[in-house]
Amino acid sequence: MTDPRRRTGLLAAGAAVAALLLTACGSGSGDQEPDAGGGTPAGDQEPAPDGTPGATPEDTGPAEGTGEDQGGATVPEELRWTAPAVGGGEFDASALAGSPAVLWFWAPWCPVCQGEAPGIKAAHEEWGDEVTFVGVAGHGDESQDETFVNTFGLDGFTHARDLDGSLWAGFGVASQPAFAFVSKGGSVEVVPGSLNEQELDNRLSELAGQ
């Protein structure tokens, strides 16, 4: 028969062990207190819709384009600028958002641009109702830019003047000629170098059909 005093000692020891175990379970990282701002601890953040741990809805932007909305259309970063226009006035590139557009980068003294100009004019006459054309003139003064536009009959669409090279740099254009094709959804594709009339026609047809 077990000594009653020994049985009492065993029960007391068992109770002490149980108390220690309960205390240890309550000290794990799963019971962290919310931070001072009332948020969820970093280890317990829910994954974002794209699966990135800890991201919030504000961290995920639209698939195409950046910047503020312009009349319900997303303005790509490349179109967030204004510049003086050849012949006077000012051009706001954000107005191009939401519709297909092509920007042609040229310099008035560039022989390749001069040779390309008649094809640009013909393309505008064919596609101008479906695609907005904009010239972006650089490396020339105001008089040279106006002479170029008038000589080649390019006054049917707007030409912005890049006074300090920042507009070209915003598109990653290092030399003329070059093109930037802007889709209705806001994606921008820059094509350096010259395009013959057939190549340009193919690209404009694709752009208008998007």
Side-chain angles (χ1 to χ4, degrees), residues 53-67:
T56 63
E58 290 77 14
D59 295 327
T60 57
E64 292 185 324
T66 59

Side-chain angles (χ1 to χ4, degrees), residues 139-201:
H139 304 299
D141 61 31
E142 186 174 0
S143 176
Q144 290 174 319
D145 291 343
E146 289 185 6
T147 298
F148 180 90
V149 169
N150 293 331
T151 297
F152 294 101
L154 298 172
D155 54 348
F157 57 94
T158 300
H159 299 264
R161 300 190 63 236
D162 187 354
L163 302 180
D164 58 5
S166 61
L167 304 186
W168 287 27
F171 287 87
V173 172
S175 61
Q176 73 289 330
F179 295 85
F181 297 92
V182 183
S183 74
K184 183 177 181 180
S187 64
V188 179
E189 180 187 6
V190 177
V191 179
S194 183
L195 293 175
N196 63 41
E197 292 186 37
Q198 186 60 57
E199 291 171 334
L200 180 58
D201 187 76

